[in-house]
């Protein structure tokens, strides 16, 4: 694999779309210009700046929280059916505008258009799912065990929320947090990632068009995340913090949140094992590997990180995967036929090169890829490495890129020990046709989620989240809305 061909100029369609994306801060239902140097958003496929947007200061963040706090009482009192219908209108509008959202994500994040369309579908499902959950918030009523009174258990909105979202899924990370919050009756301040803020700004306008009242959702892109976030988190009016990102940043935010005993949801780092047993359907395992590794160019917390393959089939698995990887077409996500886009920036490219170099220096073999091709953008060749040795950085670090690293095992006990040999526990993948073994592994692999004979687990109707250093709380599913509700118990004495 050598040079990557990328377009250097925006098409008329791309330019027109970018012109329609708001470039301001969204506070109290109004678009505002920034008061400091703007954020420059790049197309990672070309390295070129495609738009400049407002850059929030700490005082802007507090004004956004002012708006959320002022709108909180009225929004909490809004009938659940009204909140549900607004979310459903947002879902419908997203379907109408899906081509715009898909293209925008490809421009600012790099993923191929087909994947961006998939994210529109996935992200939209959170709007639809939580529009349905808004009217199902319930409590309970009944006599206490002693018969001396009636217990009433009710649910109420937590209050104003602050969301910090990552760059890798610009739409889905916003809808996965905003939808349950609005369904529960909470107001929101959201700080999108500096690298990919455009989709969130475009989505904020969609929410306003759907009827979300002023102040209920506020958006503050910024290049100084810590300086803007700290005073918001320290403000006693804030009652909930949700963050998706790295474990070190999550730990720091948990420390800050502890000062005001905030409710928190943390979706943090991963180091997902992908275990293939000797009895696995190899066709399904290879297909699952391609999904779990190369979706979003490997830039996903759910991406398979450590491929742990039984020694009797490792060579055949590696050969089949390598054949599939060699068929991937790398390029700008808007180009026809492209199946793998760029990484997010030059630091990501350097990280991939360092991981490969370390693994090779310890005895690993590169079967394909392993280098950054010539390009103006931030590309790295899709890579397969085998014979990964213990102690390699690639086994400890979250790769977050298109490198598939294979090591081998001989027994089920060894496979489980290797799968659990990490501080992280977000998701695991297991391929076996032995149903009893599959059931054992559901219980023994220490993760918050598992794909059994599949490489894709995310679904709006399922609880997304991890254990250990991969975070706390759940997003999606029946559990998702409860992250934004507090429980109140009332006793009414018997007369």
């Amino acid at each position: 694999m050598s040079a990557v061909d990328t377009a250097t100029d925006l098409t008329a369609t791309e330019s027109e779309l970018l012109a329609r994306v708001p470039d301001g801060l969204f506070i109290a239902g109004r678009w505002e210009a920034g008061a400091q140097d703007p954020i420059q958003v790049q197309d990672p496929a070309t390295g070129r700046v495609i738009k400049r947007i407002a850059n929030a200061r700490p005082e802007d963040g507090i004004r956004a929280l002012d708006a959320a706090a002022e709108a909180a009482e009225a929004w909490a009192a809004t009938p659940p059916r009204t909140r549900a219908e607004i979310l459903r209108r947002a879902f419908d509008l997203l379907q109408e505008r899906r081509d715009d959202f898909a293209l925008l994500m490809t421009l600012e994040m790099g993923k191929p258009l087909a994947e961006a369309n998939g994210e529109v579908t996935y992200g939209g499902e959170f709007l639809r799912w939580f529009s349905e959950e808004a009217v199902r918030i319930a409590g309970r009523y009944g006599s206490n065990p002693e018969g001396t009174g009636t217990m009433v258990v009710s649910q109420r909105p937590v209050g104003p929320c602050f969301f910090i979202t990552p760059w890798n899924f610009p739409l889905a990370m916003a809808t996965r947090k905003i939808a349950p919050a609005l369904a529960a009756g909470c107001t929101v301040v959201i700080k999108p990632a500096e690298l990919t803020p455009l989709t969130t700004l475009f989505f904020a306008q969609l929410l306003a068009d759907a009827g979300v009242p002023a102040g209920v959702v506020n958006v503050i892109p910024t290049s100084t995340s810590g300086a803007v976030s700290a005073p918001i988190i320290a403000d006693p009016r804030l009652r909930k913090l949700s963050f998706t990102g790295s474990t070190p940043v999550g730990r720091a935010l948990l420390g800050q949140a502890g000062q005001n005993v905030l409710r928190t949801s943390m979706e943090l780092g991963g180091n997902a094992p992908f275990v293939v047993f000797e009895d696995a359907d190899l066709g399904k395992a290879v297909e699952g590997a391609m999904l779990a590794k190369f979706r979003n160019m490997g830039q996903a917390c759910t991406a398979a990180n450590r491929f742990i393959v039984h020694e009797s089939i490792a060579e055949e698995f590696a050969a089949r995967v390598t054949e599939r990887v060699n068929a991937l077409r790398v390029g700008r996500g808007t180009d026809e036929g492209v199946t793998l886009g760029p990484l997010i920036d030059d630091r990501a490219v350097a990280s991939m090169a360092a991981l490969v170099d370390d693994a090779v220096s310890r005895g690993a073999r590169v079967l394909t890829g392993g280098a950054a091709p010539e390009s103006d953008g931030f590309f790295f060749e899709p890579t397969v490495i085998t014979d990964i040795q213990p102690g390699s950085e690639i086994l400890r670090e979250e790769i977050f890129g298109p490198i598939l690293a294979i090591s081998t095992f001989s027994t089920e006990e060894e496979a489980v020990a290797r799968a659990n040999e990490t501080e992280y526990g977000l998701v695991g993948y297991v391929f076996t046709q032995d149903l009893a073994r599959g059931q054992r592994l559901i219980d023994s692999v220490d993760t918050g989620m598992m794909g059994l004979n599949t490489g894709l687990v995310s679904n709006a109707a399922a609880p997304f989240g991890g254990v250990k250093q991969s975070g706390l709380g759940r997003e999606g599913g029946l559990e998702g809305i409860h992250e934004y509700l507090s429980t109140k118990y009332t006793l009414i004495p018997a007369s």
Side-chain angles (χ1 to χ4, degrees), residues 26 40 47 247 450:
F26 190 60
Q40 301 188 79
T247 294
M450 177 180 284

Side-chain angles (χ1 to χ4, degrees), residues 119 122 165-166 168-178 244 267:
E119 183 172 343
Y122 174 55
T165 55
N168 56 340
F169 289 94
L171 179 64
M173 295 301 97
T175 60
R176 199 162 77 181
K177 296 180 190 297
I178 291 174
T244 298
E267 198 265 282

Side-chain angles (χ1 to χ4, degrees), residues 207-223:
L207 290 175
D209 294 344
V212 174
V216 172
V217 174
N218 307 272
V219 185
I220 49 166
T222 182
S223 62

